[in-house]
Amino acid sequence: MTDNIIQVEHVAKHFGSLEVLKDISLEVERGQVVTIIGPSGSGKSTLLRCLNLLEKPDGGKIIFEGQDILAPGIKIADIRKKEVMVFQHFNLFKNMTVLRNVTYAPMVVNGKSREEADKDGRELLAKVGLADKAGEYPSRLSGGQQQRVAIARAMAMHPDVLLLDEPTSALDPEMVKEVLDVIRELAQSGITMVLVTHEMGFARDVSDMIHFMDGGYLVESAPPTEFFAHPKSERAQKFLSKILS
Ligand code: ADP
Ligand code: MG
Protein backbone atom coordinates (compact mmCIF):
# COMPACT_ATOMS: atom_id res chain seq x y z
CA MET A 1 0.00 0.00 0.00
CA THR A 2 1.27 3.49 -0.77
CA ASP A 3 1.22 6.18 1.82
CA ASN A 4 0.34 9.33 -0.09
CA ILE A 5 0.70 12.46 1.99
CA ILE A 6 -0.42 14.63 -0.93
CA GLN A 7 -2.68 13.71 -3.79
CA VAL A 8 -3.32 16.26 -6.51
CA GLU A 9 -6.22 15.33 -8.76
CA HIS A 10 -7.06 17.19 -11.96
CA VAL A 11 -6.13 20.57 -10.52
CA ALA A 12 -6.79 23.62 -12.67
CA LYS A 13 -6.00 27.25 -12.06
CA HIS A 14 -6.35 30.40 -14.10
CA PHE A 15 -5.50 34.03 -13.59
CA GLY A 16 -8.05 36.00 -15.61
CA SER A 17 -8.05 34.46 -19.06
CA LEU A 18 -4.66 32.82 -18.55
CA GLU A 19 -4.82 29.10 -17.81
CA VAL A 20 -1.82 28.46 -15.63
CA LEU A 21 -2.48 24.90 -14.45
CA LYS A 22 -4.25 22.41 -16.69
CA ASP A 23 -5.49 19.13 -15.32
CA ILE A 24 -2.55 18.46 -12.99
CA SER A 25 -2.50 15.12 -11.17
CA LEU A 26 0.36 13.84 -9.06
CA GLU A 27 1.10 12.10 -5.81
CA VAL A 28 3.64 12.61 -3.08
CA GLU A 29 4.39 9.74 -0.73
CA ARG A 30 5.34 10.43 2.84
CA GLY A 31 9.12 10.87 3.13
CA GLN A 32 9.63 11.39 -0.59
CA VAL A 33 11.51 14.21 -2.25
CA VAL A 34 9.52 15.26 -5.28
CA THR A 35 10.97 17.81 -7.68
CA ILE A 36 9.15 19.95 -10.20
CA ILE A 37 11.16 21.29 -13.10
CA GLY A 38 10.31 23.15 -16.28
CA PRO A 39 10.73 26.42 -18.11
CA SER A 40 9.93 29.77 -16.58
CA GLY A 41 6.22 30.52 -16.64
CA SER A 42 5.20 26.86 -16.87
CA GLY A 43 3.21 27.00 -13.61
CA LYS A 44 5.66 25.44 -11.14
CA SER A 45 5.31 28.12 -8.46
CA THR A 46 1.56 28.24 -8.85
CA LEU A 47 1.31 24.50 -8.37
CA LEU A 48 3.54 24.62 -5.30
CA ARG A 49 1.52 27.52 -3.89
CA CYS A 50 -1.70 25.59 -4.42
CA LEU A 51 -0.37 22.81 -2.20
CA ASN A 52 -0.49 24.98 0.92
CA LEU A 53 -3.30 27.20 -0.33
CA LEU A 54 -1.27 30.32 -1.02
CA GLU A 55 -3.28 30.01 -4.23
CA LYS A 56 -6.67 28.41 -4.51
CA PRO A 57 -7.21 26.09 -7.47
CA ASP A 58 -10.38 26.62 -9.54
CA GLY A 59 -10.90 22.95 -10.15
CA GLY A 60 -9.82 19.52 -9.06
CA LYS A 61 -8.91 18.16 -5.68
CA ILE A 62 -5.97 18.31 -3.33
CA ILE A 63 -5.98 15.63 -0.68
CA PHE A 64 -3.49 16.31 2.11
CA GLU A 65 -3.10 13.71 4.84
CA GLY A 66 -6.38 12.18 3.81
CA GLN A 67 -8.30 15.43 3.89
CA ASP A 68 -9.71 17.38 0.93
CA ILE A 69 -8.17 20.79 1.62
CA LEU A 70 -10.39 22.54 -0.93
CA ALA A 71 -13.51 21.48 0.91
CA PRO A 72 -15.52 24.12 2.76
CA GLY A 73 -14.62 24.53 6.40
CA ILE A 74 -10.91 23.79 6.01
CA LYS A 75 -8.78 26.22 7.97
CA ILE A 76 -6.05 27.50 5.71
CA ALA A 77 -3.88 28.37 8.73
CA ASP A 78 -3.89 24.72 9.80
CA ILE A 79 -2.68 23.60 6.38
CA ARG A 80 0.06 26.24 6.29
CA LYS A 81 1.39 25.07 9.63
CA LYS A 82 1.90 21.61 8.19
CA GLU A 83 3.08 22.56 4.71
CA VAL A 84 5.62 25.33 5.06
CA MET A 85 7.16 27.21 2.14
CA VAL A 86 10.71 28.39 1.57
CA PHE A 87 10.73 31.18 -1.00
CA GLN A 88 13.19 32.18 -3.68
CA HIS A 89 13.76 35.57 -2.05
CA PHE A 90 13.95 34.32 1.54
CA ASN A 91 11.25 36.74 2.80
CA LEU A 92 12.84 37.09 6.23
CA PHE A 93 11.43 39.58 8.73
CA LYS A 94 13.95 42.40 8.37
CA ASN A 95 13.21 44.03 11.72
CA MET A 96 13.82 40.84 13.71
CA THR A 97 17.03 39.09 14.65
CA VAL A 98 17.83 35.77 13.08
CA LEU A 99 16.69 33.92 16.20
CA ARG A 100 13.39 35.83 16.34
CA ASN A 101 12.80 35.07 12.67
CA VAL A 102 13.04 31.41 13.55
CA THR A 103 11.02 31.55 16.80
CA TYR A 104 8.29 33.98 15.77
CA ALA A 105 5.79 31.57 14.23
CA PRO A 106 6.35 28.76 16.76
CA MET A 107 5.57 31.26 19.52
CA VAL A 108 2.78 33.26 17.90
CA VAL A 109 1.14 30.56 15.78
CA ASN A 110 1.89 27.42 17.76
CA GLY A 111 1.92 28.99 21.22
CA LYS A 112 5.35 27.70 22.23
CA SER A 113 7.00 29.37 25.20
CA ARG A 114 9.91 31.65 24.41
CA GLU A 115 12.23 29.34 26.28
CA GLU A 116 11.15 26.30 24.32
CA ALA A 117 11.16 28.15 20.99
CA ASP A 118 14.60 29.61 21.65
CA LYS A 119 16.06 26.23 22.48
CA ASP A 120 14.63 24.64 19.35
CA GLY A 121 15.55 27.69 17.26
CA ARG A 122 19.17 27.63 18.37
CA GLU A 123 19.41 23.93 17.60
CA LEU A 124 18.00 24.51 14.11
CA LEU A 125 20.37 27.42 13.50
CA ALA A 126 23.26 25.19 14.52
CA LYS A 127 22.04 22.58 12.04
CA VAL A 128 22.18 25.07 9.18
CA GLY A 129 25.60 26.27 10.35
CA LEU A 130 24.50 29.61 11.76
CA ALA A 131 24.67 29.16 15.53
CA ASP A 132 26.82 32.28 15.81
CA LYS A 133 24.35 34.48 13.90
CA ALA A 134 21.37 34.18 16.26
CA GLY A 135 21.54 37.80 17.39
CA GLU A 136 22.31 39.25 13.98
CA TYR A 137 19.83 41.05 11.70
CA PRO A 138 19.14 39.57 8.25
CA SER A 139 20.59 42.58 6.40
CA ARG A 140 24.00 41.72 7.84
CA LEU A 141 23.94 38.22 6.35
CA SER A 142 24.85 37.00 2.89
CA GLY A 143 22.13 35.65 0.63
CA GLY A 144 23.19 32.08 1.32
CA GLN A 145 23.07 32.69 5.06
CA GLN A 146 19.66 34.36 4.77
CA GLN A 147 18.28 31.40 2.88
CA ARG A 148 19.65 29.03 5.51
CA VAL A 149 17.85 31.10 8.16
CA ALA A 150 14.68 30.83 6.09
CA ILE A 151 15.08 27.05 6.01
CA ALA A 152 15.63 26.93 9.78
CA ARG A 153 12.55 29.14 10.19
CA ALA A 154 10.46 26.76 8.11
CA MET A 155 11.76 23.74 10.02
CA ALA A 156 10.96 25.42 13.33
CA MET A 157 7.31 24.71 12.54
CA HIS A 158 8.20 21.03 12.34
CA PRO A 159 6.13 20.76 9.18
CA ASP A 160 4.97 17.52 7.62
CA VAL A 161 5.91 18.84 4.20
CA LEU A 162 8.56 21.36 3.24
CA LEU A 163 7.86 23.26 0.03
CA LEU A 164 10.85 24.95 -1.61
CA ASP A 165 10.39 27.29 -4.57
CA GLU A 166 13.71 27.77 -6.38
CA PRO A 167 15.55 28.18 -3.09
CA THR A 168 18.92 28.89 -4.73
CA SER A 169 18.03 30.87 -7.83
CA ALA A 170 18.36 34.29 -6.17
CA LEU A 171 21.83 33.46 -4.86
CA ASP A 172 25.26 34.35 -6.13
CA PRO A 173 26.83 31.20 -7.58
CA GLU A 174 29.33 30.77 -4.76
CA MET A 175 26.50 30.50 -2.23
CA VAL A 176 24.43 27.89 -3.99
CA LYS A 177 26.33 24.93 -2.58
CA GLU A 178 26.00 25.86 1.08
CA VAL A 179 22.23 26.04 0.68
CA LEU A 180 21.96 22.87 -1.39
CA ASP A 181 24.02 21.05 1.25
CA VAL A 182 21.50 22.04 3.91
CA ILE A 183 18.58 20.95 1.73
CA ARG A 184 20.32 17.68 0.92
CA GLU A 185 20.75 16.92 4.59
CA LEU A 186 17.08 17.65 5.23
CA ALA A 187 16.10 15.49 2.29
CA GLN A 188 18.05 12.62 3.80
CA SER A 189 16.48 13.19 7.21
CA GLY A 190 13.25 11.79 5.86
CA ILE A 191 11.04 14.87 5.72
CA THR A 192 8.64 15.03 2.80
CA MET A 193 9.78 17.67 0.36
CA VAL A 194 8.36 19.24 -2.77
CA LEU A 195 11.04 21.22 -4.52
CA VAL A 196 11.13 23.49 -7.54
CA THR A 197 14.65 23.95 -8.85
CA HIS A 198 16.81 24.53 -11.90
CA GLU A 199 19.73 22.69 -10.27
CA MET A 200 19.49 19.56 -12.38
CA GLY A 201 22.41 17.68 -10.85
CA PHE A 202 21.00 18.26 -7.41
CA ALA A 203 17.52 17.25 -8.51
CA ARG A 204 18.89 14.02 -9.92
CA ASP A 205 20.75 13.27 -6.67
CA VAL A 206 18.05 13.95 -4.10
CA SER A 207 14.73 13.34 -5.81
CA ASP A 208 12.57 10.25 -5.69
CA MET A 209 10.44 11.58 -8.54
CA ILE A 210 10.75 14.29 -11.17
CA HIS A 211 7.75 16.07 -12.64
CA PHE A 212 8.34 18.12 -15.76
CA MET A 213 5.92 20.95 -16.48
CA ASP A 214 5.48 23.03 -19.60
CA GLY A 215 2.75 25.52 -20.49
CA GLY A 216 0.61 24.63 -17.48
CA TYR A 217 0.69 20.91 -18.21
CA LEU A 218 2.43 18.18 -16.29
CA VAL A 219 4.11 16.72 -19.34
CA GLU A 220 6.17 13.92 -17.88
CA SER A 221 6.80 12.19 -14.55
CA ALA A 222 9.58 9.70 -13.90
CA PRO A 223 12.22 8.72 -11.36
CA PRO A 224 15.34 10.89 -11.81
CA THR A 225 17.67 8.29 -13.31
CA GLU A 226 15.10 7.48 -15.94
CA PHE A 227 14.04 11.07 -16.56
CA PHE A 228 17.52 12.51 -17.00
CA ALA A 229 18.85 9.59 -19.05
CA HIS A 230 15.81 9.12 -21.27
CA PRO A 231 13.32 11.97 -21.22
CA LYS A 232 10.36 10.73 -23.23
CA SER A 233 8.68 13.90 -24.38
CA GLU A 234 10.19 16.17 -26.96
CA ARG A 235 9.53 19.14 -24.69
CA ALA A 236 11.52 17.63 -21.83
CA GLN A 237 14.34 16.69 -24.20
CA LYS A 238 14.47 20.24 -25.50
CA PHE A 239 14.37 21.73 -22.00
CA LEU A 240 17.16 19.49 -20.73
CA SER A 241 19.40 20.07 -23.71
CA LYS A 242 19.04 23.81 -23.21
CA ILE A 243 19.62 23.82 -19.48
CA LEU A 244 22.43 21.27 -19.48
CA SER A 245 24.39 22.76 -22.35
P1 ADP B 1 6.90 29.26 -12.94
O1 ADP B 1 7.05 29.20 -11.46
O2 ADP B 1 6.98 27.95 -13.62
O3 ADP B 1 7.87 30.25 -13.56
P2 ADP B 1 4.39 30.56 -12.36
O4 ADP B 1 3.55 29.56 -11.66
O5 ADP B 1 5.04 31.59 -11.52
O6 ADP B 1 5.45 29.82 -13.27
O7 ADP B 1 3.52 31.32 -13.41
C1 ADP B 1 2.79 30.68 -14.42
C2 ADP B 1 2.06 31.72 -15.23
O8 ADP B 1 1.09 32.36 -14.43
C3 ADP B 1 2.94 32.84 -15.77
O9 ADP B 1 2.48 33.19 -17.04
C4 ADP B 1 2.73 33.95 -14.79
O10 ADP B 1 2.95 35.19 -15.38
C5 ADP B 1 1.29 33.74 -14.39
N1 ADP B 1 0.99 34.19 -13.02
C6 ADP B 1 1.54 33.72 -11.89
N2 ADP B 1 1.02 34.30 -10.80
C7 ADP B 1 0.10 35.18 -11.26
C8 ADP B 1 -0.81 36.11 -10.63
N3 ADP B 1 -0.87 36.22 -9.31
N4 ADP B 1 -1.60 36.84 -11.42
C9 ADP B 1 -1.55 36.72 -12.77
N5 ADP B 1 -0.74 35.87 -13.42
C10 ADP B 1 0.07 35.11 -12.68
MG1 MG C 1 8.40 30.09 -10.17
Side-chain angles (χ1 to χ4, degrees), residues 91-207:
N91 301 9
L92 294 178
F93 308 121
K94 293 185 173 55
N95 59 334
M96 292 183 198
T97 63
V98 161
L99 183 62
R100 285 294 151 252
N101 264 275
V102 175
T103 59
Y104 180 80
M107 284 164 56
V108 173
V109 180
N110 285 353
K112 267 196 182 177
S113 69
R114 172 167 291 217
E115 210 179 2
E116 212 185 342
D118 278 5
K119 181 169 178 287
D120 193 44
R122 286 183 191 280
E123 275 170 24
L124 286 162
L125 285 173
K127 265 194 193 154
V128 300
L130 294 173
D132 57 332
K133 300 291 185 194
E136 206 56 90
Y137 282 85
S139 61
R140 309 248 311 180
L141 304 186
S142 71
Q145 290 171 331
Q146 289 187 53
Q147 190 60 302
R148 284 186 281 147
V149 173
I151 292 168
R153 179 178 64 175
M155 290 308 294
M157 294 301 283
H158 296 278
D160 294 348
V161 178
L162 192 62
L163 308 170
L164 302 112
D165 192 0
E166 296 198 34
T168 60
S169 51
L171 299 177
D172 291 334
E174 73 269 22
M175 292 169 191
V176 168
K177 185 177 177 295
E178 68 191 47
V179 172
L180 292 182
D181 285 346
V182 165
I183 298 170
R184 187 190 309 268
E185 212 173 290
L186 279 176
Q188 287 162 353
S189 78
I191 186 168
T192 309
M193 208 181 264
V194 185
L195 168 70
V196 175
T197 187
H198 290 293
E199 297 289 334
M200 294 300 131
F202 183 74
R204 188 177 45 209
D205 286 353
V206 302
S207 309

Side-chain angles (χ1 to χ4, degrees), residues 15 18 20 39-46 55:
F15 293 112
L18 186 68
V20 176
S40 181
S42 57
K44 305 179 300 294
S45 294
T46 305
E55 300 288 354

